[in-house]
Amino acid sequence: MAETPKTRLSLETLAISAGYDAAEHQGAAKPPIYMTSTFVYPSAAQAKAVHQAFFDGEVPEKSGKNGFIYARLDHPNLVMAQARIATLDRAEDSALFASGMAAVSTLAQCFLRPGDSVLHSRPIYGGTDMLLHTHMTEMGVHPVGFTDGVDEAHLTQMADAAMARGPLTLIMVESPANPTCAIADIALISRLADRVALAQGRRPIISVDNTFLGPFLQSPLEHGADLCLTSLTKYAGGHSDFMGGSISGPNALVGKLKKLRTLMGNHADPHNCWMLLRSVETMALRTERAVANARTIATFLRDHPKVVRITYLGFLAEGSPERAVYDRQCAAPGSTFSFDVEGGEAGAFRFLDRLRLLRFAVSLGGTETLICHPATTTHYAVPEEARAAVHIGPATMRVSVGIETASDLVADLAQALEAV
Ligand code: PLP
């Protein structure tokens, strides 16, 4: 069980209790939902005080103790859910958003200005890739992708290439990466940021997208990331019935994101925050079961003659640089990975169309097992050469293993592989 130094309670325990005090809510054992868009000021003086608490100073007041103004700025369920996610991410604070992409786009808008460069891992979620290489590029930002997150020489070369285009202000890392599980060495990237600071007089902010593993299997802030970003739609929500995103980190950075969120209006609403509080209570259990199932599924696929490639983290070669980083950074291989079958796109399509139990859909992290074909779905907008460079091919499929009985999943995969 992972222990937090501050409280000595395990993360599993804190996932059930952090951020909610029944005594502050008429003794309700579970969080009520505050379905209101606005809040009545008790007096003119208090109205002034609450506006001062929100707008003055570097960061908005985060506990709601001075009261609330309007739900786009802050609301009681947001305070509860942010406190819980910050605890799980071992951060001072967290900002919650309407989706993972709301978090990603607010991060980019908050810290990048025209003329800046941004260094990012590749592969990276297709939406993030598209944001950086279309909209942010149109805004005058220069994205530079690196394809080997454990190789110091490659990372240095790419950081130099980025700095040649403009001040490097943000490093966006996704590790493990969607969909291939490529690993990036967060501590190494933190040392690289120190060197960039010496070269250009300003240290870039490092954000790590932790969506693939989540807080029980990886804590990016403990390895040198400044910000930990998560699509809560996935493992935290856990049931494919909710959307949300979070960015956790120090008060000063999260406060900036919250201020911009108020202007962009992309906060998490009361119902979604309530859903999240409920869902994270079972996240540790779901994670444990999905990780165990994934090991069984990955072993079956690795040993199947029609499977030609598999990126499951549990199979990283002993002695490889990736394995050394994995051992230091991750507590388990997670439950989403990709694999290739024989026969190119036609083979993959025959296989997908034959599945009965596994559901053919994008997204990941739900109780149900989902499978998709990244080249034609999640990473459709990424140019073919860029996909090919990071092994997202015509026969690549991404599977997010759920919490069903593993043998039922294996049986379905076995019968569908007959169609390949
Ligand atoms: N980051 C990663 C790694 C993802 O896989 C996704 C979505 O699949 C996102 C961010 C975006 O999250 P959302 O779909 O909640 O906007």
Side-chain angles (χ1 to χ4, degrees), residues 99-101 104 125 174 178 209 211-212 231 233-234 243-244 364:
S99 68
M101 275 312 291
V104 172
Y125 170 58
E174 195 176 277
N178 184 351
D209 187 327
T211 300
F212 258 42
S231 166
T233 310
K234 318 299 181 190
M243 299 204 86
L364 55 111

Side-chain angles (χ1 to χ4, degrees), residues 42 47 50 65 70 92 111 147 151 186 229-230 295 359 361:
V50 68
K65 75 175 171 2
Y70 184 60
E92 276 181 357
F111 297 114
T147 52
D151 184 73
I186 302 169
L229 186 149
T230 309
R295 195 175 295 279
R359 292 176 206 175

Side-chain angles (χ1 to χ4, degrees), residues 338-355:
S338 59
F339 63 98
D340 287 27
V341 290
E342 279 178 351
E345 185 182 276
F349 280 16
R350 279 197 298 275
F351 167 77
L352 287 167
D353 287 340
R354 180 77 94 83
L355 287 165

